[in-house]
Structure formats: C-alpha cells, structure tokens
Amino acid sequence: MEVLRVILTIVFVLDCIALSVVVLLQEGKNAGLGALSGASDTYWSKNKGRSREGIMIKVTVVLGALFIILGLILNLKVF
C-alpha cells in the first residue's frame, strides 16, 4: 500500500503544478461596463468553448476536481 501512496502523492504534486500553471496562463475577466449593455455578446463570446480560453477553463475544472479527489484520498487513514 505504501507504493500506491507514493504514486498518488507524485500525481498530486504534478496536478498541483499543472493547476498553478493553467490558472496563471488564463486571462482576467475584465468585461467592464460593456457587459451590462450586452456589448460583450459577440461571435467570439458565443463560441468561447472552442477557443483557447474555453479549453483552459475546461482543463482548470478537470485539474481542480482531480486536486480535490486526490487530496481527499491521500488524507484517508487507509494507506
């Protein structure tokens, strides 16, 4: 069981590093007052899921979920 704990710890550390890098690479969400009037509804904002920004958001969600799951597993007293 100790080998599994070491492997999970290594994956956890790599996930932490990857999550930090992905969060730092994302742009800020400064929509300004244009978001109130609907000026932010452009072609690019509607197809955000296919853009680089949309992919970064999806990767952040997956890495964040993996971070929480691995953190909970590593804190169990089973290992």
Side-chain angles (χ1 to χ4, degrees), residues 5-19 66-72 74-75:
R5 184 169 182 83
V6 170
I7 291 172
L8 287 177
T9 303
I10 291 171
V11 172
F12 185 69
V13 169
L14 292 175
D15 181 49
C16 291
I17 293 169
L19 185 61
L66 185 63
F67 174 80
I68 292 171
I69 292 168
L70 285 174
L72 291 173
L74 287 171
N75 279 324

Side-chain angles (χ1 to χ4, degrees), residues 15-50:
D15 181 49
C16 291
I17 293 169
L19 185 61
S20 299
V21 169
V22 169
V23 167
L24 289 174
L25 285 176
Q26 290 183 7
E27 296 179 11
K29 302 281 186 204
N30 294 336
L33 291 176
L36 293 176
S37 65
S40 64
D41 270 348
T42 63
Y43 173 78
W44 299 111
S45 67
K46 290 180 182 177
N47 291 319
K48 197 180 281 188
R50 297 183 189 151

Side-chain angles (χ1 to χ4, degrees), residues 57-79:
I57 292 171
K58 291 176 186 174
V59 169
T60 304
V61 169
V62 169
L63 289 175
L66 185 63
F67 174 80
I68 292 171
I69 292 168
L70 285 174
L72 291 173
I73 290 172
L74 287 171
N75 279 324
L76 292 176
K77 300 297 179 186
V78 176
F79 291 111

